[in-house]
Amino acid sequence: MQITHIRNATLIVEYGGKTFLIDPMLAEKGTYPPFPNSIRQDQNNPLVNLPISVEEIIDGVDAIILTHLHLDHFDDAAKQALPKDIKTFVQNEEDAAAVRDAGFKNVEALTKHTIFEGIQLSKTKGEHGRGEILKRTGLVCGVVFKHKNEKTLYVAGDTVWYPAVGEEINTHKPEIIVVNGGDNQFLEGGSLVMGKEDIYEVYKAASHATIISVHMEAVNHWTLSREELKSFINEKDMTSHVLVPDDGEVYTF
Protein backbone atom coordinates (compact mmCIF):
# COMPACT_ATOMS: atom_id res chain seq x y z
CA MET A 1 0.00 0.00 0.00
CA GLN A 2 0.98 3.61 -0.40
CA ILE A 3 -0.28 6.30 1.98
CA THR A 4 0.08 9.97 1.09
CA HIS A 5 -0.65 12.41 3.88
CA ILE A 6 -2.15 15.49 2.25
CA ARG A 7 -3.17 17.85 5.08
CA ASN A 8 -5.15 17.59 8.31
CA ALA A 9 -7.03 14.24 8.06
CA THR A 10 -6.92 14.09 4.26
CA LEU A 11 -5.16 10.98 2.96
CA ILE A 12 -4.69 9.25 -0.35
CA VAL A 13 -4.54 5.50 0.23
CA GLU A 14 -3.52 3.23 -2.64
CA TYR A 15 -4.56 -0.23 -1.52
CA GLY A 16 -5.35 -3.50 -3.27
CA GLY A 17 -5.00 -1.85 -6.66
CA LYS A 18 -7.52 0.92 -5.87
CA THR A 19 -7.08 4.54 -4.80
CA PHE A 20 -9.09 5.98 -1.90
CA LEU A 21 -9.37 9.63 -0.86
CA ILE A 22 -10.16 9.92 2.84
CA ASP A 23 -11.74 12.98 4.52
CA PRO A 24 -11.01 15.56 1.82
CA MET A 25 -10.58 19.15 3.00
CA LEU A 26 -9.46 20.81 -0.22
CA ALA A 27 -9.87 24.56 0.32
CA GLU A 28 -7.04 27.01 -0.07
CA LYS A 29 -5.31 28.32 3.04
CA GLY A 30 -7.44 30.77 5.02
CA THR A 31 -10.75 30.10 3.26
CA TYR A 32 -12.92 29.54 6.34
CA PRO A 33 -13.26 31.40 9.66
CA PRO A 34 -11.57 29.87 12.71
CA PHE A 35 -13.48 27.30 14.73
CA PRO A 36 -15.04 29.33 17.57
CA ASN A 37 -14.40 28.94 21.29
CA SER A 38 -10.83 27.80 20.69
CA ILE A 39 -7.32 29.16 20.37
CA ARG A 40 -5.92 31.05 17.36
CA GLN A 41 -9.07 33.09 16.75
CA ASP A 42 -6.97 35.35 14.54
CA GLN A 43 -6.20 32.57 12.03
CA ASN A 44 -8.58 31.35 9.33
CA ASN A 45 -8.78 27.70 8.30
CA PRO A 46 -7.02 25.82 6.87
CA LEU A 47 -3.84 27.19 8.43
CA VAL A 48 -1.59 25.85 5.67
CA ASN A 49 -1.70 25.34 1.92
CA LEU A 50 -2.22 22.00 0.21
CA PRO A 51 1.13 20.37 -0.67
CA ILE A 52 -0.09 19.47 -4.18
CA SER A 53 -2.89 20.73 -6.40
CA VAL A 54 -6.52 19.68 -6.04
CA GLU A 55 -6.30 18.23 -9.54
CA GLU A 56 -3.40 16.00 -8.50
CA ILE A 57 -5.21 14.93 -5.34
CA ILE A 58 -8.38 13.76 -7.07
CA ASP A 59 -6.76 12.32 -10.20
CA GLY A 60 -7.29 8.58 -10.38
CA VAL A 61 -9.32 8.29 -7.18
CA ASP A 62 -11.67 5.28 -7.22
CA ALA A 63 -13.62 6.00 -4.03
CA ILE A 64 -14.06 8.54 -1.24
CA ILE A 65 -14.34 7.65 2.45
CA LEU A 66 -15.90 10.22 4.78
CA THR A 67 -15.50 9.28 8.45
CA HIS A 68 -17.91 12.12 9.30
CA LEU A 69 -19.00 15.40 7.76
CA HIS A 70 -17.30 18.13 9.81
CA LEU A 71 -15.88 20.95 7.70
CA ASP A 72 -12.28 19.86 8.21
CA HIS A 73 -13.11 16.41 6.81
CA PHE A 74 -15.47 17.26 3.93
CA ASP A 75 -15.57 20.90 2.92
CA ASP A 76 -17.23 23.00 0.24
CA ALA A 77 -14.12 22.89 -1.94
CA ALA A 78 -14.22 19.08 -1.93
CA LYS A 79 -17.92 19.07 -2.73
CA GLN A 80 -17.24 21.28 -5.74
CA ALA A 81 -14.12 19.52 -7.00
CA LEU A 82 -15.04 15.86 -6.70
CA PRO A 83 -16.99 14.12 -9.50
CA LYS A 84 -20.56 13.59 -8.36
CA ASP A 85 -20.70 9.99 -9.60
CA ILE A 86 -17.66 8.81 -7.64
CA LYS A 87 -18.19 5.98 -5.17
CA THR A 88 -18.52 7.55 -1.71
CA PHE A 89 -18.59 5.70 1.60
CA VAL A 90 -20.01 7.30 4.75
CA GLN A 91 -20.64 6.18 8.32
CA ASN A 92 -24.45 5.94 8.32
CA GLU A 93 -27.64 6.69 6.40
CA GLU A 94 -27.95 10.16 7.93
CA ASP A 95 -24.59 11.17 6.47
CA ALA A 96 -25.49 9.42 3.22
CA ALA A 97 -28.58 11.62 2.88
CA ALA A 98 -26.53 14.77 3.47
CA VAL A 99 -23.92 13.75 0.90
CA ARG A 100 -26.63 12.97 -1.63
CA ASP A 101 -28.11 16.40 -0.94
CA ALA A 102 -24.71 17.81 -1.96
CA GLY A 103 -25.19 16.17 -5.36
CA PHE A 104 -23.32 12.89 -4.97
CA LYS A 105 -25.08 9.98 -6.62
CA ASN A 106 -23.18 6.83 -5.59
CA VAL A 107 -23.20 6.89 -1.79
CA GLU A 108 -23.09 3.88 0.52
CA ALA A 109 -23.07 3.54 4.30
CA LEU A 110 -20.20 1.44 5.61
CA THR A 111 -20.81 -1.70 7.65
CA LYS A 112 -18.44 -4.12 9.34
CA HIS A 113 -18.41 -6.18 6.14
CA THR A 114 -18.46 -3.76 3.20
CA ILE A 115 -16.70 -5.04 0.06
CA PHE A 116 -15.39 -2.72 -2.66
CA GLU A 117 -13.58 -4.20 -5.65
CA GLY A 118 -12.31 -7.13 -3.60
CA ILE A 119 -11.23 -4.95 -0.66
CA GLN A 120 -12.96 -5.41 2.69
CA LEU A 121 -13.84 -2.13 4.41
CA SER A 122 -14.90 -2.56 8.03
CA LYS A 123 -16.52 0.36 9.84
CA THR A 124 -14.99 0.88 13.29
CA LYS A 125 -16.14 2.66 16.42
CA GLY A 126 -14.88 6.06 17.51
CA GLU A 127 -15.68 8.78 20.02
CA HIS A 128 -14.96 12.40 19.08
CA GLY A 129 -14.07 13.45 22.63
CA ARG A 130 -15.13 12.46 26.13
CA GLY A 131 -18.21 13.19 28.20
CA GLU A 132 -20.49 16.15 27.54
CA ILE A 133 -18.59 17.34 24.46
CA LEU A 134 -19.88 14.29 22.56
CA LYS A 135 -23.29 15.97 22.38
CA ARG A 136 -21.67 18.67 20.23
CA THR A 137 -19.23 16.62 18.19
CA GLY A 138 -21.64 13.89 17.08
CA LEU A 139 -21.06 10.47 15.60
CA VAL A 140 -17.83 9.47 13.86
CA CYS A 141 -16.25 6.27 12.57
CA GLY A 142 -13.00 4.79 11.41
CA VAL A 143 -12.35 2.10 8.82
CA VAL A 144 -10.19 -1.01 8.52
CA PHE A 145 -8.90 -2.06 5.09
CA LYS A 146 -8.20 -5.74 4.36
CA HIS A 147 -7.01 -7.46 1.18
CA LYS A 148 -5.24 -10.76 0.59
CA ASN A 149 -2.20 -9.03 -0.92
CA GLU A 150 -1.92 -6.18 1.60
CA LYS A 151 -1.16 -5.55 5.23
CA THR A 152 -4.21 -4.64 7.33
CA LEU A 153 -4.71 -0.88 7.64
CA TYR A 154 -6.76 0.82 10.38
CA VAL A 155 -7.67 4.48 9.86
CA ALA A 156 -9.05 5.44 13.26
CA GLY A 157 -10.66 8.79 12.34
CA ASP A 158 -11.57 11.55 14.79
CA THR A 159 -11.47 9.56 18.01
CA VAL A 160 -9.75 9.71 21.35
CA TRP A 161 -8.34 6.56 22.93
CA TYR A 162 -11.05 4.63 24.77
CA PRO A 163 -11.68 0.90 25.24
CA ALA A 164 -13.44 0.38 21.89
CA VAL A 165 -10.30 1.47 20.02
CA GLY A 166 -8.39 -1.26 21.82
CA GLU A 167 -11.15 -3.70 20.91
CA GLU A 168 -10.85 -2.77 17.23
CA ILE A 169 -7.09 -3.35 17.40
CA ASN A 170 -7.60 -6.74 19.08
CA THR A 171 -10.23 -7.74 16.51
CA HIS A 172 -8.48 -6.68 13.33
CA LYS A 173 -4.80 -6.82 14.35
CA PRO A 174 -3.78 -4.01 11.97
CA GLU A 175 -0.16 -3.70 10.93
CA ILE A 176 -0.57 -0.03 9.95
CA ILE A 177 -2.63 2.41 12.06
CA VAL A 178 -3.40 6.02 11.15
CA VAL A 179 -4.51 8.18 14.10
CA ASN A 180 -5.69 11.79 14.18
CA GLY A 181 -3.23 13.14 16.69
CA GLY A 182 -3.39 16.92 16.96
CA ASP A 183 -5.12 16.90 20.38
CA ASN A 184 -7.57 19.46 18.96
CA GLN A 185 -9.68 21.15 21.64
CA PHE A 186 -12.17 23.88 22.33
CA LEU A 187 -11.52 26.15 25.32
CA GLU A 188 -13.42 23.68 27.46
CA GLY A 189 -14.41 20.05 27.13
CA GLY A 190 -11.02 18.38 26.66
CA SER A 191 -9.48 16.51 23.76
CA LEU A 192 -11.52 15.94 20.59
CA VAL A 193 -8.96 13.65 18.97
CA MET A 194 -5.89 11.85 20.20
CA GLY A 195 -3.17 13.57 22.17
CA LYS A 196 0.24 12.11 22.89
CA GLU A 197 -0.90 9.95 25.81
CA ASP A 198 -3.71 8.52 23.62
CA ILE A 199 -1.15 7.65 20.96
CA TYR A 200 0.97 5.95 23.63
CA GLU A 201 -2.05 3.81 24.52
CA VAL A 202 -2.42 2.84 20.85
CA TYR A 203 1.26 1.90 20.80
CA LYS A 204 0.90 -0.24 23.92
CA ALA A 205 -2.13 -2.00 22.41
CA ALA A 206 -0.42 -2.53 19.04
CA SER A 207 3.33 -2.54 19.67
CA HIS A 208 3.77 -4.62 16.50
CA ALA A 209 2.16 -1.96 14.30
CA THR A 210 3.42 1.14 12.54
CA ILE A 211 1.42 4.16 13.73
CA ILE A 212 1.07 7.32 11.62
CA SER A 213 -0.15 10.50 13.33
CA VAL A 214 -1.96 13.02 11.11
CA HIS A 215 -4.54 15.83 11.66
CA MET A 216 -1.78 18.11 12.98
CA GLU A 217 -1.17 21.88 12.78
CA ALA A 218 -3.76 22.39 10.03
CA VAL A 219 -6.83 23.90 11.73
CA ASN A 220 -6.91 26.57 14.40
CA HIS A 221 -7.86 24.45 17.44
CA TRP A 222 -4.84 22.12 17.40
CA THR A 223 -2.87 21.92 20.65
CA LEU A 224 -0.24 19.20 19.98
CA SER A 225 2.54 20.13 17.57
CA ARG A 226 4.57 17.74 15.47
CA GLU A 227 7.70 18.81 17.36
CA GLU A 228 6.18 18.06 20.77
CA LEU A 229 4.87 14.69 19.62
CA LYS A 230 8.24 13.74 18.15
CA SER A 231 9.92 14.59 21.46
CA PHE A 232 7.39 12.44 23.33
CA ILE A 233 7.90 9.56 20.87
CA ASN A 234 11.63 9.74 21.52
CA GLU A 235 11.10 9.90 25.28
CA LYS A 236 8.89 6.79 25.19
CA ASP A 237 11.28 4.93 22.85
CA MET A 238 8.65 4.63 20.11
CA THR A 239 10.68 6.12 17.27
CA SER A 240 10.73 2.90 15.25
CA HIS A 241 6.94 2.54 15.53
CA VAL A 242 5.37 6.03 15.32
CA LEU A 243 5.65 8.29 12.27
CA VAL A 244 4.74 11.99 12.16
CA PRO A 245 4.50 12.95 8.49
CA ASP A 246 4.79 16.40 7.01
CA ASP A 247 2.06 17.43 4.61
CA GLY A 248 2.70 15.71 1.28
CA GLU A 249 4.82 12.92 2.76
CA VAL A 250 4.41 9.45 1.22
CA TYR A 251 4.86 6.04 2.88
CA THR A 252 4.94 2.63 1.21
CA PHE A 253 4.27 -0.56 3.14
Side-chain angles (χ1 to χ4, degrees), residues 117-189:
E117 302 287 348
I119 300 162
Q120 181 174 330
L121 302 173
S122 300
K123 176 184 170 181
T124 61
K125 296 176 181 177
E127 290 200 347
H128 201 348
R130 298 181 176 95
E132 287 295 307
I133 199 70
L134 290 172
K135 295 177 182 177
R136 291 178 58 190
T137 54
L139 297 176
V140 297
C141 79
V143 61
V144 169
F145 295 71
K146 292 181 180 178
H147 186 274
K148 61 183 179 181
N149 296 330
E150 297 277 14
K151 295 179 177 180
T152 298
L153 167 66
Y154 172 27
V155 177
D158 265 9
T159 186
V160 294
W161 169 267
Y162 74 116
V165 174
E167 292 166 9
E168 299 290 3
I169 289 170
N170 289 337
T171 297
H172 296 287
K173 297 177 173 53
E175 293 142 288
I176 313 297
I177 302 174
V178 179
V179 300
N180 292 351
D183 201 4
N184 298 52
Q185 301 184 23
F186 298 120
L187 295 179
E188 65 277 327

Side-chain angles (χ1 to χ4, degrees), residues 222-233:
W222 69 266
T223 69
L224 176 62
S225 70
R226 288 179 169 100
E227 182 179 0
E228 182 181 351
L229 178 56
K230 288 176 180 178
S231 295
F232 179 80
I233 290 166

Side-chain angles (χ1 to χ4, degrees), residues 233-245:
I233 290 166
N234 188 55
E235 172 191 323
K236 294 293 186 181
D237 197 25
M238 299 188 291
T239 51
S240 61
H241 291 276
V242 184
L243 304 172
V244 186

